[in-house]
Amino acid sequence: MNQISPKANKWLHCLEANGCRATMTRRAVVETLAGSQRALTPLEIFDLCRSQYKNMGLVTVYRTVEKLEELGLVQRVHQPSGCQAFIAAADGHQHLLICQNCGLVTFFSGENEMIEGLMDQVSNQSGYQINSHWLQLFGYCASCREPAKNPQFNR
Amino acid sequence: MNQISPKANKWLHCLEANGCRATMTRRAVVETLAGSQRALTPLEIFDLCRSQYKNMGLVTVYRTVEKLEELGLVQRVHQPSGCQAFIAAADGHQHLLICQNCGLVTFFSGENEMIEGLMDQVSNQSGYQINSHWLQLFGYCASCREPAKNPQFNR
DNA sequence: CTGCATGCAAAGCTTTTGCAGGTGC
DNA sequence: GCACCTGCAAAAGCTTTGCATGCAG
């Protein structure tokens, strides 16, 4: 690893503050996940890390991702194609916008009043006490919308 | 099976219209899923069916659920605790409201304009072409909100 | 009778666990 | 030097596949 990104650094400090050691393998997982714009599966993280750290084990990826998720630094991304992938968590509660072509994940936080209103309304109609919500949008990101850039991609 | 519910009947006809035979084991899976207010995992369906049909195999449950999902009669439910459970699909696109205590699933369809507006706004801000969305609310249903009915349940 | 459906067994994956050796601090 | 971390191997789940038999139409 040549240089540690600010986000990866923050994660490592957070791990240390929680009694974890900043080992080389953890740095690799942290750097990979902190630097990704796509949600990555444990196996993808493993492959990416292994290109730098020859003896990286898949088990270590699972254990590190588990810790990062516990600390709220990373979150699981649910998609129609599967729910094994993880991405750096946003600050505060945010919603996900996922590109169905390239996998780019973008967070958005706007329209919270709208959602609050919806929750109130549904609560009144259904009798439920609503505690949390998931909102995700799926589509094609700006780059993938442009046919010229993605000739293989049919819309 | 004493009597087939209207919904189960509709599903069986739909299966037949798609070249599937209405076997006893399929009837059992269909009746179980069509009659459930909770999302059920393949294993749960298997156990429920097996109480009636002794030689039911788990494999058959997987194969039947797969067919029902293909036909859009059943949909997978994603939850923090896992994404293996299925429930009867709603007519048209609807959103889910899930009880975190008893698992009761309620659909709601209101506020589509609100969500359309949100999608337009996010689309303009992000440059994404938005194709679909997932919205789920989690909370406690009317029954589970009442402490008297659920003394074991801490809120 | 014909061909789809079924259960069993086995294979294939993903994820977790046990453990002896290694490493950060 | 101590405690935590690691990779390996194995176990544990969950899901799919192959195949001979069974059953619906």
Side-chain angles (χ1 to χ4, degrees), chain B residues 110-130:
Chain B
E111 299 310 315
N112 282 327
E113 305 84 24
M114 191 183 274
I115 291 169
E116 298 287 330
L118 172 60
M119 286 169 64
D120 283 348
Q121 184 177 326
V122 172
S123 181
N124 288 334
Q125 287 172 5
S126 65
Y128 274 66
Q129 169 195 322
I130 298 174

Side-chain angles (χ1 to χ4, degrees), chain B residues 7-8 10-11 14 30 32-40 65 67-77 85-96 105-108:
Chain B
K7 188 191 280 186
K10 184 193 138 202
W11 290 11
C14 188
V30 161
T32 300
L33 257 174
S36 177
Q37 300 269 66
R38 295 181 53 240
L40 300 174
V65 169
K67 277 226 152 52
L68 292 172
E69 194 183 16
E70 278 171 24
L71 296 174
L73 300 171
V74 144
Q75 66 183 66
R76 189 180 291 267
V77 176
F86 295 85
I87 195 158
D91 293 329
H93 179 79
Q94 300 218 7
H95 305 127
L96 289 170
V105 172
T106 306
F107 288 93
F108 66 95

Side-chain angles (χ1 to χ4, degrees), chain A residues 16-37:
Chain A
E16 283 173 353
N18 284 272
C20 297
R21 289 175 181 168
T23 62
M24 288 307 269
T25 44
R26 271 190 190 144
R27 279 173 212 269
V29 172
V30 161
E31 189 73 9
T32 299
L33 257 174
S36 176
Q37 299 269 66

Side-chain angles (χ1 to χ4, degrees), chain A residues 63-74:
Chain A
R63 291 194 268 229
T64 304
V65 169
E66 184 182 27
K67 277 230 153 53
L68 292 172
E69 194 183 17
E70 278 170 23
L71 296 174
L73 299 172
V74 144

